[in-house]
């Protein structure tokens, strides 16, 4: 048995190959329990992912950078509950996974990367396949994590033009 001091989880300042600030992640993972682990991380030009765990919970993200595709906001956002972060937009799926299309005009002004985030504290595995997400405990932490991932990727390894235009803070969920 660990004492409370030994039981406290230490999370590095930067995670996922040091691309993502862990400030928002600290809210998405428990403060005590099993130690922090970065289980996998690959951040490439066109695809990347990262999975971290602590205290029996997890937070993951993946992204796809597919220059040249066009993602119409109205078509994307009607797939679930609309979400946004400055010029980024997307939706929350019924299982509380966020899919965010983030501006990254490397080849064309319309280019976007698709960022997919989830945390075990908000994901609803038993959600209706075609239903709408409803607010649950853990959504706030998921939106903070998603914002940190979007900013970290665009300002870091993907080096997107105008990445500094993504505002600080969480992704906004536009509940109906």
């Amino acid at each position: 048995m660990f004492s409370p001091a030994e039981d406290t989880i230490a999370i590095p300042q930067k995670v996922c190959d040091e691309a993502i600030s862990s400030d928002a992640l600290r809210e998405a993972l428990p403060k005590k329990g099993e130690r922090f682990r970065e289980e996998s991380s690959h951040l490439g030009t066109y695809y990347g992912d990262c999975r971290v765990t602590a205290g029996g919970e997890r937070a993951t993200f993946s992204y796809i950078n597919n220059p040249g595709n066009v993602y119409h906001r109205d078509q994307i956002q009607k797939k679930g509950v609309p979400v946004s972060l400055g010029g980024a937009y997307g939706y929350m799926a019924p299982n509380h996974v966020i899919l965010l299309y983030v501006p990254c005009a490397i080849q064309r002004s319309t280019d976007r990367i698709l960022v997919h985030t989830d945390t075990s504290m908000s994901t609803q595995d038993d959600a209706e396949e075609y239903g709408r997400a409803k607010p649950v405990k853990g959504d706030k932490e998921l939106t903070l994590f998603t914002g940190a991932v979007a900013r970290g990727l665009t300002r870091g390894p993907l080096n997107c033009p105008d990445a500094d235009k993504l505002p600080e803070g969480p992704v906004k969920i536009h509940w109906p």
Side-chain angles (χ1 to χ4, degrees):
M1 185 95 175
F2 295 106
S3 71
E6 294 173 308
D7 210 16
T8 301
I9 300 170
I11 299 176
Q13 287 295 95
K14 296 263 191 171
V15 298
C16 302
D17 295 337
E18 298 200 9
I20 309 299
S21 169
S22 65
D23 291 344
L25 190 59
R26 292 175 204 285
E27 300 298 319
L29 297 172
K31 307 217 181 319
K32 295 189 179 279
E34 296 171 28
R35 68 180 179 82
F36 173 85
R37 289 187 318 215
E38 189 168 308
E39 294 186 339
S40 66
S41 187
H42 164 76
L43 304 181
T45 302
Y46 297 103
Y47 172 80
D49 63 14
C50 183
R51 176 186 172 107
V52 297
T53 61
E57 300 291 344
R58 66 157 169 72
T60 64
F61 73 82
S62 63
Y63 65 90
I64 297 172
N65 180 8
N66 196 0
N69 280 4
V70 177
Y71 304 101
H72 298 285
R73 184 179 190 136
D74 58 335
Q75 293 174 349
I76 296 295
Q77 288 190 312
K78 69 181 174 184
K79 293 180 180 182
V81 176
V83 299
S84 63
L85 177 68
Y89 55 82
Y91 66 97
M92 177 183 278
N95 60 349
H96 289 255
V97 169
I98 291 181
L99 292 95
L100 187 67
Y101 294 78
V102 183
C104 189
I106 293 175
Q107 292 181 5
R108 297 181 187 172
S109 63
T110 57
D111 286 349
R112 294 180 176 273
I113 58 169
L114 169 57
V115 177
H116 174 282
T117 59
D118 69 90
T119 66
S120 58
M121 295 176 79
S122 68
T123 301
Q124 302 295 301
D125 292 330
D126 60 348
E128 290 181 36
E129 186 173 348
Y130 298 105
R132 283 254 186 214
K134 294 178 177 49
V136 298
K137 182 179 178 182
D139 282 347
K140 177 184 174 190
E141 293 79 4
L142 175 61
T143 62
L144 287 165
F145 176 59
T146 305
V149 168
R151 285 184 297 278
L153 290 173
T154 58
R155 295 174 185 171
L158 297 178
N159 196 27
C160 299
D162 298 324
D164 58 333
K165 290 184 179 179
L166 275 180
E168 296 300 317
V171 167
K172 181 174 178 162
I173 302 172
H174 304 276
W175 294 110

